[in-house]
Amino acid sequence: MQERRGVRGVKSAARTVALLELLAERGEQPSRLDQLAEELGVPRSSMYQLLQTLVESGWVRTDATGSLYGIGIRALLTGTGYLDGDRRIRLVRPYLDEASDTLGETIHMARLDGRDVVYLATRESHEYLRTISRVGRRVPAHAGALGKALLAERADDELPFDDGPLPALTENTHTDRAALLADLARVRERGHSVDREETVPGIAGFGFALRYGTPVVDAISCSVPVARLTPEHEARIVAVMRDVRERIESRMPPVSGVPDWR
């Protein structure tokens, strides 16, 4: 068990978190007791007891036979509480609506979490729907506009990556660290990131970091099918999103009696 600030981690709590994260990651794909025990390295009897406890409290659900398990509704309630309790998300949402109405494209807000970005809010275009952008979805930060906009706010030696190739989502994803660093340098020069089919084939994205806090962890982006991305439309997207970013940053109220969450 790892220690943080002199406090030893609680094994049962760590095991519970790992189980819930695994079930959430699998989504609609149900899991069996033996699968969960093996993947998490937990004795079968201990895993059974943990599952039953979580089923009774609503964090895990099971089928009529009691042999299949999935994430429960209590996880949704907790996730909703996170979104509702964050004043930054509440402030940004109306601007996402405005940008979506103005551009007719899909607009996102996401937050950096380790090596990934997590989608916090999305306004979908009526022209296309992409499940990868749903709220709560995690995407590698190096693979898209939102993540690259946030990575560019950090020095190269502060990036959360080890040596070795980065995972690819498409054939256009940067898997080489040197190529990623070169791209991040261009992001810093132009003031926004560009994703040309690096996350989803056929989709381009333009990301803008929100510099209303330190460290910078939030960003907004616009996604558009490459089939209708003309130079004129790209220029309009960048102009609108840059203006939206500036207004968000200027209207973020100072912290007063509110925790500065990390």
Side-chain angles (χ1 to χ4, degrees):
M1 299 294 293
Q2 295 181 343
E3 294 187 7
R4 182 180 181 184
R5 297 181 180 177
V7 178
R8 184 174 177 81
V10 179
K11 185 176 182 179
S12 60
R15 182 176 290 175
T16 301
V17 171
L19 172 60
L20 292 173
E21 289 182 344
L22 177 58
L23 292 174
E25 181 181 342
R26 293 187 172 179
E28 296 181 358
Q29 180 182 354
S31 301
R32 295 186 179 275
L33 171 61
D34 291 342
Q35 295 174 325
L36 296 170
E38 179 179 359
E39 187 153 350
L40 295 178
V42 177
R44 190 178 186 279
S45 59
S46 299
M47 178 58 68
Y48 178 77
Q49 294 175 9
L50 177 56
L51 284 168
Q52 296 312 302
T53 299
L54 294 174
V55 167
E56 291 175 3
S57 60
W59 283 92
V60 172
R61 59 180 173 176
T62 187
D63 69 335
T65 68
S67 60
L68 298 175
Y69 299 92
I71 195 69
I73 197 169
R74 301 295 292 184
L76 170 63
L77 300 178
T78 300
T80 301
Y82 178 89
L83 297 175
D84 292 343
D86 192 298
R87 68 190 184 93
R88 292 177 174 177
I89 300 174
R90 294 198 303 270
L91 182 143
V92 169
R93 280 171 176 161
Y95 293 95
L96 302 185
D97 294 333
E98 176 186 328
S100 181
D101 290 342
T102 300
L103 295 170
E105 305 294 355
T106 297
I107 311 297
H108 310 289
M109 176 188 184
R111 181 163 293 165
L112 188 66
D113 182 32
R115 301 181 182 187
D116 301 329
V117 292
V118 180
Y119 286 87
L120 301 177
T122 291
R123 299 296 181 265
E124 292 280 8
S125 165
H126 295 301
E127 299 294 332
Y128 72 103
L129 300 175
R130 293 284 175 173
T131 58
I132 196 170
S133 62
R134 74 168 186 256
V135 172
R137 173 75 72 173
R138 301 179 72 90
V139 174
H142 70 278
L146 288 159
K148 291 195 297 181
L150 291 167
L151 294 178
E153 295 294 315
R154 289 148 177 77
D156 290 348
D157 60 0
E158 296 177 349
L159 298 180
F161 304 117
D162 300 324
D163 294 334
L166 300 167
L169 297 186
T170 74
E171 62 181 14
N172 294 324
T173 305
H174 291 306
T175 58
D176 177 72
R177 184 181 177 89
L180 175 62
L181 295 182
D183 193 352
L184 296 181
R186 292 190 291 271
V187 173
R188 297 180 187 112
E189 291 176 1
R190 74 167 77 94
H192 66 274
S193 63
V194 179
D195 163 10
R196 299 195 187 277
E197 301 184 83
E198 297 170 34
T199 308
V200 179
I203 300 296
F206 304 88
F208 300 76
L210 298 174
R211 305 184 182 101
Y212 47 42
T214 303
V216 178
V217 294
D218 293 344
I220 56 175
S221 74
C222 176
S223 296
V224 55
V226 295
R228 66 164 185 264
L229 182 61
T230 64
E232 294 76 16
H233 192 32
E234 178 173 336
R236 184 165 182 261
I237 288 173
V238 170
V240 170
M241 295 299 291
R242 182 179 289 131
D243 175 70
V244 168
R245 172 176 63 184
E246 292 173 354
R247 287 190 288 128
I248 290 174
E249 292 173 345
S250 67
R251 297 181 186 181
M252 179 62 67
V255 176
S256 177
V258 179
D260 185 14
W261 298 111
R262 299 298 182 191

